[in-house]
């Protein structure tokens, strides 16, 4: 059974966390390159980072900057930062009250299928929501987890965007738990017009402890990916 090192960074600056992800990512890739070059078989590590970010907007490499509806001054006034980054997907928001998960995995330890990997991440969130009697769903052609798909009330509760190179993943998912959804008003989330966002708190009409939700996410991640967490 594969082991994954669990790292909980608490509340941490986006740029610092991105650099840290890159370090872990490079560590795994370097081992794989060395293995191939020297015909070795050294085991690659796997990591899973939990983090909350201060207010930040991030734009994926294929994203459209016009989906950010604030200029530099307005960003500053909102206490938010902005980064163009190297994951898939368009624009999204991260902030306090949102559980962000960055699995940095060598998929050759699991399965070499990015599509399957994204579906598994979605399934982890879908099963977590089910524990709160919320029916999460996939929306055709729109990565992430949605509620009331196919109705005029469709709303996104979890955004996803990953990067993979040499079958090593980084970036991941962002689940709105007690997030201030007002910050989403300043972007066209994921570049999808006319769809709203929601959170666990809004859906349940009560506060939900982040640690409780993290525990459920880990439980379903363990079941689906058949792993052990090394804490």
């Amino acid at each position: 059974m594969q082991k994954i090192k669990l790292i909980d960074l608490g509340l941490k600056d986006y740029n610092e966390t991105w650099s840290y992800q890159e370090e872990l990512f490079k560590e795994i890739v370097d081992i794989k390159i060395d293995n191939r070059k020297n015909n070795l078989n050294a085991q690659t590590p796997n990591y899973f980072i939990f983090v909350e970010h201060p207010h930040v907007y991030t734009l994926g490499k294929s994203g459209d900057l016009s989906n950010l509806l604030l200029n530099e001054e307005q960003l500053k006034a909102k206490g938010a930062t902005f980064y163009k980054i190297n994951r898939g997907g368009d624009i999204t928001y991260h902030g306090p009250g949102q559980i962000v998960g960055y699995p940095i995995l060598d998929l050759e330890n699991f399965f070499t299928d990015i599509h399957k990997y994204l579906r598994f991440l979605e399934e982890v969130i879908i099963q977590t929501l089910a524990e709160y009697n919320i029916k999460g769903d996939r929306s055709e052609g729109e990565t992430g987890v949605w509620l009331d798909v196919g109705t005029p009330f469709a709303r996104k509760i979890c955004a996803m965007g990953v990067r993979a190179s040499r079958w090593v993943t980084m970036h991941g998912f962002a689940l709105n738990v007690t997030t201030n959804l007002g910050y989403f008003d300043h972007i066209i989330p994921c570049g999808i017009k006319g769809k709203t966002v929601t959170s666990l708190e809004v859906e349940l009409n009560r506060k939900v402890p982040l640690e409780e939700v993290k525990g459920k996410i880990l439980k379903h991640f363990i079941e689906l990916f058949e792993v052990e967490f090394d804490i």
Side-chain angles (χ1 to χ4, degrees):
M1 187 177 277
Q2 285 296 325
K3 290 205 164 177
I4 298 180
K5 171 84 175 152
L6 179 64
I7 301 159
D8 194 327
L9 297 177
L11 184 67
K12 188 135 182 107
D13 174 77
Y14 184 86
N15 209 22
E16 286 176 38
T17 310
W18 186 14
S19 296
Y20 184 48
Q21 277 196 79
E22 292 278 13
E23 275 174 40
L24 299 179
F25 179 88
K26 184 178 183 303
E27 176 199 349
I28 299 170
V29 168
D30 285 351
I31 292 169
K32 296 184 78 163
I33 290 170
D34 194 43
N35 278 348
R36 194 157 298 171
K37 203 184 286 179
N38 299 303
N39 207 19
L40 300 171
N41 199 21
Q43 181 63 40
T44 48
N46 303 287
Y47 299 98
F48 186 112
I49 299 172
F50 268 138
V51 67
E52 260 183 288
H53 293 305
H55 305 297
V56 61
Y57 296 101
T58 69
L59 183 71
K61 58 182 184 287
S62 58
D64 183 347
L65 188 56
S66 68
N67 290 325
L68 174 64
L69 309 177
L70 298 174
N71 62 31
E72 214 167 306
E73 285 303 306
Q74 291 167 320
L75 274 171
K76 210 172 281 179
K78 292 274 171 205
T81 51
F82 169 76
Y83 295 100
K84 194 161 175 31
I85 62 170
N86 59 352
R87 60 160 169 78
D90 205 286
I91 198 160
T92 195
Y93 160 77
H94 299 306
Q98 185 186 67
I99 295 175
V100 178
Y102 296 133
I104 304 173
L105 311 179
D106 179 359
L107 288 183
E108 288 192 297
N109 292 331
F110 301 91
F111 45 77
T112 49
D113 185 334
I114 294 295
H115 180 78
K116 180 178 176 180
Y117 172 64
L118 283 166
R119 301 298 78 80
F120 267 39
L121 283 187
E122 288 166 346
E123 191 60 29
V124 167
I125 301 302
I126 287 167
Q127 291 189 15
T128 298
L129 294 174
E131 295 209 41
Y132 294 96
N133 294 316
I134 293 172
K135 188 181 183 311
D137 252 320
R138 296 175 180 85
S139 180
E140 190 67 39
E142 298 170 340
T143 303
V145 179
W146 300 73
L147 310 185
D148 289 334
V149 170
T151 76
F153 311 107
R155 55 210 181 278
K156 193 174 207 175
I157 196 165
C158 183
M160 289 184 186
V162 304
R163 176 193 173 210
S165 177
R166 294 178 186 266
W167 296 113
V168 182
T169 67
M170 62 183 289
H171 301 296
F173 64 85
L175 174 64
N176 298 326
V177 181
T178 58
T179 319
N180 178 348
L181 300 178
Y183 276 82
F184 285 98
D185 294 342
H186 309 298
I187 58 172
I188 298 169
C190 306
I192 302 163
K193 290 185 171 70
K195 297 263 182 89
T196 60
V197 290
T198 190
S199 67
L200 263 179
E201 181 181 24
V202 165
E203 297 300 321
L204 297 172
N205 200 25
R206 65 176 173 87
K207 287 273 185 207
V208 188
L210 292 190
E211 293 307 314
E212 175 187 295
V213 182
K214 285 181 193 173
K216 294 181 191 305
I217 288 170
L218 291 179
K219 179 180 82 172
H220 295 297
F221 198 96
I222 286 165
E223 289 165 358
L224 273 161
F225 284 85
E226 298 177 347
V227 295
E228 284 176 14
F229 276 103
D230 183 6
I231 298 166

